[in-house]
Amino acid sequence: MFLGNLASIQYFLPEFAVTATILLLIVLRVASKDPRSNAFAYLSLVGCGAAILLAGIVPVGKGASMFEGMVAYDSFAVFFKVVTALATVVVIFMTLDSREMAGTTRVEFYVLLMTSLLGMFLLSSSTDIVMIYLALELVSIPSYMMAGYDKGKVRSTEAAMKYVVFGATASGIMIYGFSLLFGMAGSTHIGEIGRVVAANTVTLPMLLACVMVAVGFGYKIAAVPFHMWCPDVYEGAPTPATAFFSVAPKAAGFAVLVRFFYTVFAMPHPVEPEWQLAAPSIDWTFLFAVLSAVTMTVGNLVAVKQDNVKRLLAYSSIAHAGYMLMGFVLLTPAGIQAVLFYLVVYLFMNLGAFYVVLLVGNATDGEDISDFAGLGSRAPFVAVSMAVFLFALTGIPPFSGFIGKLYLFAEVINRELYWLVVVAALNSVVGLYYYARIVRSMFLDEPKTVSAIAVPAVPRALVVLLVAPTLILGVYWEPVARIASNSLRMLVF
């Protein structure tokens, strides 16, 4: 169903909610006498809640192509809007507890955060390469500023500069790939580009365009070799910003990666419930399978050597991008469902790990593994929660990460990509080693001081809210798996 501009408004309510929140934050910032008030955080939370509610209550039906084909409203886009908005909600709570941001006027951070969220909403539903590029920049530019938000720290400024340089380079390469696709297809709509790809022999410029576009998306999900910005940015940025980068933009990056490549270079199989390559001479599934193996291997092997926990989690997030790419390459609904399910469990376990890093950083003013020494005796609840998050990230049963990896591994085995499963299994063993280093330090090493770390009620409650789904989804995952399965419909014209 193609809709004009006015008819599209009824399906654009989540984006309007976020936009209204951004405008209100700006107006209230100008009018307020207390720019450090927590009221700005609560307003941002209301905006995120309204966006989630509106995304849930607006009927999806068979979907709609809005604003003359620029963006789609379908269950696939709704799923990613909810996931990215939930991640934003957790990050807003983290800013309230962050000592790094205590002396700053956080309202500007919330404006940047909500602007990036708006970009992710658009990125997950874009069906036109012009809109994809605009949405990607709407996500990226506020992210650069959030990375350098702690202006008093050289490390934060350095993180922002590196983020800008790598981001601008990837963006330039991607838009050149888009221009090649437009030149060959004569259209900016990805459905039309897909029809041209399917009807013509693959040429060298088309292959080059495919690689260039993959660079832009690979940068957004931090896949190797476009990952080099990730460790420095994660380490230098304020911890709430790092937590945000590790989940929300990565989820939006996977959304646009799936929608673009499955629309342009694949088509539904006429009989089987799967996709097939529209241009078999470009075997992007094999290329991305190799990329998946390399990404998880590099991420895990380099993480072994890290002593800074934020840097360790940065390499860990690179490895997890590699795991999720396994589902992307399979060309089956079950493969995409596995990616969607893994993103949900990754949201809780990874944000939980970063939240504990924030709490420990508040107490010790450090982020190294040695700063976690003796945490089991100084703050038992926090230490046990961190162990749960880390074991879930490893993929050990009965935690949710195990079910996430089980979905991915099972579908890869069904598609007979046995070598990829072996690589992923070996990488999981490596992951267990470096995650266990933190757990060992928390429970077996002597603390630098013996005083207990006081954790206020609100942070304690938020840790519980992150631990609960990490545990529950390990033993009762069927509702989330069903939601992921129902969210596979992508609108393609």
Side-chain angles (χ1 to χ4, degrees):
M1 176 171 59
F2 274 98
L3 299 176
N5 293 337
L6 288 178
S8 300
I9 290 175
Q10 60 182 313
Y11 297 102
F12 210 58
L13 297 181
E15 285 81 356
F16 283 138
V18 176
T19 305
T21 306
I22 295 168
L23 295 176
L24 267 175
L25 284 169
I26 295 172
V27 171
L28 293 178
R29 169 65 179 92
V30 174
S32 174
K33 294 179 180 178
D34 182 13
R36 298 182 182 180
S37 170
N38 288 341
F40 297 110
Y42 301 139
L43 176 59
S44 303
L45 289 172
V46 170
C48 289
I52 293 172
L53 185 65
L54 291 169
I57 64 173
V58 177
V60 175
K62 294 182 178 179
S65 182
M66 303 184 295
F67 300 109
E68 309 293 346
M70 298 296 282
V71 292
Y73 185 78
D74 51 29
S75 56
F76 186 77
V78 170
F79 176 88
F80 281 95
K81 288 176 186 177
V82 173
V83 167
T84 52
L86 280 176
T88 306
V89 167
V90 176
V91 170
I92 292 169
F93 276 112
M94 291 175 73
T95 61
L96 294 173
D97 302 320
S98 171
R99 201 176 68 172
E100 292 172 290
M101 304 188 70
T104 62
T105 53
R106 294 190 300 264
V107 57
E108 288 87 356
F109 187 85
Y110 299 135
V111 171
L112 297 172
L113 195 65
M114 297 300 288
T115 305
S116 187
L117 177 64
L118 178 62
M120 288 183 285
F121 277 17
L122 295 172
L123 193 60
S124 61
S125 57
S126 297
T127 53
D128 188 283
I129 55 176
V130 175
M131 180 54 71
I132 289 174
Y133 183 74
L134 291 175
L136 196 67
E137 292 302 310
L138 197 57
V139 175
S140 299
I141 293 173
S143 298
Y144 304 150
M145 290 186 272
M146 283 191 282
Y149 199 75
D150 194 349
K151 297 187 285 291
K153 283 188 177 179
V154 174
R155 203 173 57 172
S156 185
T157 306
E158 180 186 347
M161 286 301 297
K162 287 183 177 177
Y163 207 179
V164 169
V165 171
F166 280 110
T169 304
S171 178
I173 294 172
M174 186 183 69
I175 199 169
Y176 193 68
F178 279 158
S179 68
L180 288 175
L181 286 176
F182 173 69
M184 289 179 282
S187 172
T188 57
H189 194 276
I190 60 174
E192 191 59 37
I193 294 172
R195 280 187 278 275
V196 172
V197 169
N200 293 280
T201 304
V202 173
T203 59
L204 181 61
M206 192 173 288
L207 180 61
L208 189 62
C210 172
V211 173
M212 287 181 163
V213 172
V215 169
F217 296 154
Y219 153 79
K220 188 48 66 183
I221 64 172
V224 173
F226 320 112
H227 68 291
M228 288 176 284
W229 60 274
C230 188
D232 291 337
V233 171
Y234 276 31
E235 184 180 0
T239 303
T242 305
F244 180 72
F245 300 154
S246 71
V247 175
K250 191 183 291 286
F254 269 99
V256 70
L257 182 73
V258 171
R259 188 185 292 276
F260 181 84
F261 276 90
Y262 274 65
T263 303
V264 173
F265 296 107
M267 62 177 67
H269 195 282
V271 180
E272 301 294 330
E274 60 186 46
W275 284 272
Q276 59 185 1
L277 291 175
S281 54
I282 300 183
D283 191 358
W284 59 260
T285 57
F286 175 74
L287 295 176
F288 275 97
V290 173
L291 186 66
S292 166
V294 174
T295 298
M296 66 178 83
T297 303
V298 171
N300 279 316
L301 291 181
V302 183
V304 169
K305 299 181 179 178
Q306 305 305 315
D307 292 322
N308 182 285
V309 177
K310 282 173 71 176
R311 201 171 178 85
L312 183 149
L313 290 175
Y315 282 107
S316 159
S317 78
I318 294 169
H320 283 277
Y323 295 133
M324 286 184 268
L325 278 173
M326 289 196 303
F328 167 74
V329 304
L330 299 178
L331 290 171
T332 63
I336 302 301
Q337 180 192 358
V339 175
L340 267 54
F341 182 84
Y342 198 87
L343 279 168
V344 173
V345 300
Y346 182 72
L347 182 155
F348 294 112
M349 57 192 185
N350 205 52
L351 287 181
F354 271 109
Y355 194 53
V356 173
V357 172
L358 182 145
L359 295 175
V360 172
N362 286 347
T364 65
D365 200 23
E367 298 157 351
D368 290 340
I369 293 178
S370 59
D371 295 310
F372 285 70
L375 191 66
S377 59
R378 300 183 66 195
F381 171 73
V382 174
V384 171
S385 301
M386 185 62 165
V388 170
F389 295 134
L390 294 177
F391 286 136
L393 285 166
T394 306
I396 292 178
F399 305 108
S400 58
F402 170 73
I403 302 301
K405 282 189 178 177
L406 185 65
Y407 269 108
L408 287 169
F409 285 24
E411 190 55 23
V412 174
I413 291 172
N414 285 340
R415 298 292 288 178
E416 300 180 352
L417 283 170
Y418 301 118
W419 67 270
L420 190 55
V421 176
V422 172
V423 172
L426 292 174
N427 271 283
S428 295
V429 175
V430 177
L432 175 61
Y433 172 76
Y434 62 76
Y435 288 131
R437 286 179 62 203
I438 303 174
V439 177
R440 185 193 64 184
S441 181
M442 289 192 298
F443 292 100
L444 298 181
D445 291 350
E446 290 295 324
K448 296 176 182 176
T449 60
V450 295
S451 58
I453 297 175
V455 181
V458 174
R460 186 181 289 267
L462 186 55
V463 171
V464 170
L465 289 176
L466 293 169
V467 165
T470 305
L471 289 171
I472 294 171
L473 290 176
V475 293
Y476 183 59
W477 61 88
E478 195 274 337
V480 174
R482 187 171 60 249
I483 291 171
S485 177
N486 293 336
S487 303
L488 296 179
R489 179 178 171 76
M490 285 180 288
L491 200 62
V492 178
F493 287 94

